[in-house]
């Protein structure tokens, strides 16, 4: 066995930056994925937690150079779900025993949006109580806003750092987007009691293996509970994506890198929740299943009504655009079973790393 993999199997945080980098550069990944899957089994057993993803709306105040719904992309038809629609979708997820949902949207900092989310959270709490995990993925906000949403019933917050390299971050965003603020938001979320998740995009133009090794060390430094990362995928109507062609070779290398990041993150951190993200499925029909076998333990099936999905394309080739939530539920069930795993129906699936939580 590769001595670095053996070392990582002994416990969390065993590898140096150089060793993490070396694992990320492996071409033959069989042993790596196998070991990461073994560590996943140790901490979360043979089980996959679901997070039903509701894409609340695609209005965004920001202009990230990589994102298809950035403010300046005038080709996107903008929408926002009604409060009743969001509550209905959340209720469906609860009844279908998803155990947990994610409310995601573009970043809006306004009292109107804060109160809108607050009302939704309170209504979800009336029927689900503590039995439905609620994750928010709504970008950078003030501490006061994060606190209001926590008090209204949210448990978890996902805010990707996108890259832990402040130099690369600066190249991927306009000058008024702040790496320092994003990092501060993560500290705030942790401090006030959210189960806190972050992550990066892998395979960004200009990103090196050293950057990715540093990203994994960053996850530890921030003491994160959940990791949601995936391959970067180009969108032709964005400044970053317009020149990049989705050739088979490009797709294969982005997929492989995304899977290696999952595996090495699992081998380094051990007890966190790691999502096998939809971006993997955009690269390969079996991408999310491969993510599970490389050490991920969470899947986020889309439960947004089909009519809205086309307008929430962060990248091209987004899968499941024409499916409805019931079809996605069935399809996912078989996909998870096909790799010998099972879905933890009706469980919130709190990350083992989160010590203060109230796991079911
Ligand atoms: N607006 C919030 C934010 O940025 O944190 C939440 C929604 S945003 C669409 C969620 C994530 O989508 C981002 O953190 C980013 O990593 C990812 N994303 C955006 N564009 C992407 C692309 N072209 N390829 C892969 N992931 C992308
Ligand atoms: Fe807006 Fe998030 Fe897309 Fe950036 S990544 S443009 S904040 S939706």
């Amino acid at each position: 066995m590769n001595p670095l993999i053996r070392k990582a199997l002994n416990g969390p945080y065993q590898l140096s930056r150089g060793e993490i980098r070396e694992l990320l550069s492996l071409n033959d990944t069989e042993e790596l994925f196998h070991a990461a899957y073994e560590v996943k089994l140790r901490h979360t057993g043979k089980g996959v937690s679901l997070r039903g993803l509701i894409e609340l709306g695609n209005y965004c105040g920001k202009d990230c150079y990589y994102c298809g719904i950035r403010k300046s992309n005038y080709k996107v038809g903008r929408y926002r779900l009604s409060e009743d629609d969001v509550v209905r979708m959340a209720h469906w997820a609860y009844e279908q025993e998803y155990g947990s949902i994610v409310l995601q949207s573009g970043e809006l900092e306004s009292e109107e949006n804060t109160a809108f989310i607050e009302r939704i959270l309170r209504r979800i709490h009336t029927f689900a109580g503590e039995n439905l995990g609620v994750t928010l993925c709504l970008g950078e906000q003030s501490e006061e806003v994060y606190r209001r949403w926590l008090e209204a019933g949210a448990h978890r917050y996902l805010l990707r750092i996108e890259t832990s390299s402040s130099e690369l971050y600066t190249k991927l965003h306009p000058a008024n987007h702040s790496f320092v603020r994003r990092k501060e938001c993560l500290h705030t979320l942790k401090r006030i009691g959210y189960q806190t998740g972050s992550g990066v995009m892998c395979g960004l133009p200009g990103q090196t293996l050293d950057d990715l090794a540093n990203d994994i060390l960053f996850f530890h430094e921030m003491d994160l509970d959940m990791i949601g990362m995936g391959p970067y995928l180009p969108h032709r109507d964005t400044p970053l994506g317009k020149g990049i062609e989705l050739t088979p070779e490009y797709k294969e290398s982005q997929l492989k890198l995304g899977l290696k990041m999952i595996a090495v993150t699992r081998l380094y951190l051990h007890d966190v929740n790691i999502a096998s993200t939809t971006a993997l499925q955009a690269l390969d029909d079996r991408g999310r299943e491969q993510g599970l076998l490389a050490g991920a333990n969470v899947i986020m099936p889309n439960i947004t009504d089909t009519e809205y999905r086309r307008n929430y394309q962060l990248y091209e080739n987004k899968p499941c655009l024409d499916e409805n939530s019931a079809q996605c539920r069935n399809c996912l069930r078989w996909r998870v079973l096909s790799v010998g795993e099972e879905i933890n129906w009706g469980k919130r699936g709190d990350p083992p790393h989160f010590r203060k939580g109230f796991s079911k």
Side-chain angles (χ1 to χ4, degrees):
M1 180 184 269
N2 178 321
L4 294 182
I5 296 179
R6 186 174 317 118
K7 190 170 167 190
L9 279 169
N10 283 336
Y13 326 131
Q14 302 285 314
L15 304 170
S16 67
R17 176 179 289 109
E19 290 170 338
I20 292 175
R21 190 193 180 289
E22 204 174 317
L23 289 183
L24 287 173
S25 65
L26 287 178
N27 271 327
D28 184 350
T29 50
E30 199 181 324
E31 199 177 47
L32 180 75
F33 293 171
H34 195 76
Y37 184 66
E38 196 184 310
V39 174
K40 178 258 175 204
L41 286 183
R42 246 188 247 168
H43 292 277
T44 61
K46 238 185 203 311
V48 177
S49 294
L50 298 187
R51 316 274 180 250
L53 174 66
I54 306 176
E55 295 161 341
L56 300 183
N58 61 4
Y59 287 94
C60 186
K62 293 183 101 179
D63 235 349
C64 310
Y65 294 150
Y66 43 82
C67 178
I69 62 169
R70 64 198 295 267
K71 181 171 70 175
S72 300
N73 185 3
Y74 297 111
K75 293 191 183 163
V76 175
R78 301 283 165 178
Y79 75 93
R80 188 174 91 159
L81 298 182
S82 72
E83 196 181 308
D84 286 348
D85 277 341
V86 180
V87 174
R88 170 178 53 77
M89 291 171 201
H91 192 260
W92 182 85
Y94 180 60
E95 280 194 320
Q96 298 291 323
E97 296 206 84
Y98 274 52
S100 179
I101 56 169
V102 180
L103 305 181
Q104 190 185 85
S105 76
E107 184 175 302
L108 296 171
E109 283 193 86
S110 68
E111 175 52 34
E112 192 211 341
N113 187 56
T114 303
F116 170 72
I117 301 295
E118 220 172 9
R119 287 194 301 275
I120 288 170
L121 290 169
R122 292 201 194 287
R123 285 179 64 184
I124 292 174
H125 200 261
T126 56
F127 62 78
E130 297 298 327
N131 294 319
L132 185 70
V134 181
T135 307
L136 299 180
C137 182
L138 305 170
E140 295 161 34
Q141 304 285 340
S142 68
E143 177 168 340
E144 188 210 329
V145 170
Y146 287 146
R147 281 190 187 279
R148 278 172 63 180
W149 290 342
L150 189 66
E151 277 155 27
H155 309 106
R156 311 182 176 127
Y157 208 100
L158 186 59
L159 183 72
R160 285 186 179 179
I161 191 72
E162 316 296 2
T163 168
S164 65
S165 153
S166 60
E167 294 79 32
L168 183 56
Y169 189 94
T170 308
K171 290 185 189 149
L172 300 171
H173 299 92
N176 62 352
H177 294 27
S178 162
F179 177 78
V180 173
R181 185 181 188 218
R182 206 154 177 97
K183 200 169 158 184
E184 275 168 10
C185 283
L186 281 173
H187 280 296
T188 304
L189 289 163
K190 218 39 237 176
R191 177 165 46 78
I192 67 178
Y194 277 96
Q195 296 176 17
T196 306
S198 190
V200 296
M201 284 175 284
C202 325
L204 286 159
Q207 189 180 44
T208 63
L209 282 188
D210 283 317
D211 290 331
L212 291 170
N214 283 330
D215 291 341
I216 294 179
L217 294 172
F218 174 86
F219 301 155
H220 176 41
E221 175 199 321
M222 297 297 292
D223 193 25
L224 298 169
D225 306 300
M226 315 162 330
I227 310 297
M229 63 193 162
Y232 160 69
L233 287 164
H235 189 301
R236 76 188 71 197
D237 299 322
T238 61
L240 197 68
K242 64 179 169 219
I244 305 176
E245 245 193 274
L246 261 182
T247 60
E249 296 74 32
Y250 179 79
K251 285 168 82 173
E252 198 187 318
S253 81
Q254 291 296 85
L255 175 70
K256 199 160 180 192
L257 187 61
L259 294 171
K260 283 198 277 190
M261 272 298 277
I262 290 179
V264 181
T265 300
R266 171 64 72 199
L267 282 170
Y268 188 67
L269 298 179
H270 277 228
D271 64 355
V272 293
N273 276 351
I274 303 180
S276 187
T277 53
T278 313
L280 292 170
Q281 197 190 348
L283 290 167
D284 183 312
D285 181 53
R286 307 270 300 164
R288 281 188 305 182
E289 292 90 305
Q290 293 180 56
L292 294 178
L293 293 177
N297 67 313
V298 169
I299 284 192
M300 296 163 64
N302 199 337
I303 59 166
T304 316
D305 286 351
T306 316
E307 64 190 285
Y308 299 105
R309 297 186 186 190
R310 258 174 215 288
N311 284 327
Y312 201 89
Q313 292 198 67
L314 314 175
Y315 44 78
E316 285 163 88
N317 253 9
K318 179 183 179 182
C320 311
L321 282 180
D322 298 319
E323 264 92 84
N324 65 36
S325 303
Q327 287 166 326
C328 284
R329 185 182 190 275
N330 252 340
C331 164
L332 198 72
R333 224 176 118 223
W334 291 113
R335 283 173 180 270
V336 169
L337 284 174
S338 77
V339 290
E341 285 276 311
E342 51 203 54
I343 293 175
N344 295 327
W345 294 109
K347 297 259 172 66
R348 279 180 23 162
D350 289 312
H353 187 77
F354 185 76
R355 305 281 172 227
K356 289 168 282 173
F358 19 61
S359 262
K360 273 178 90 177

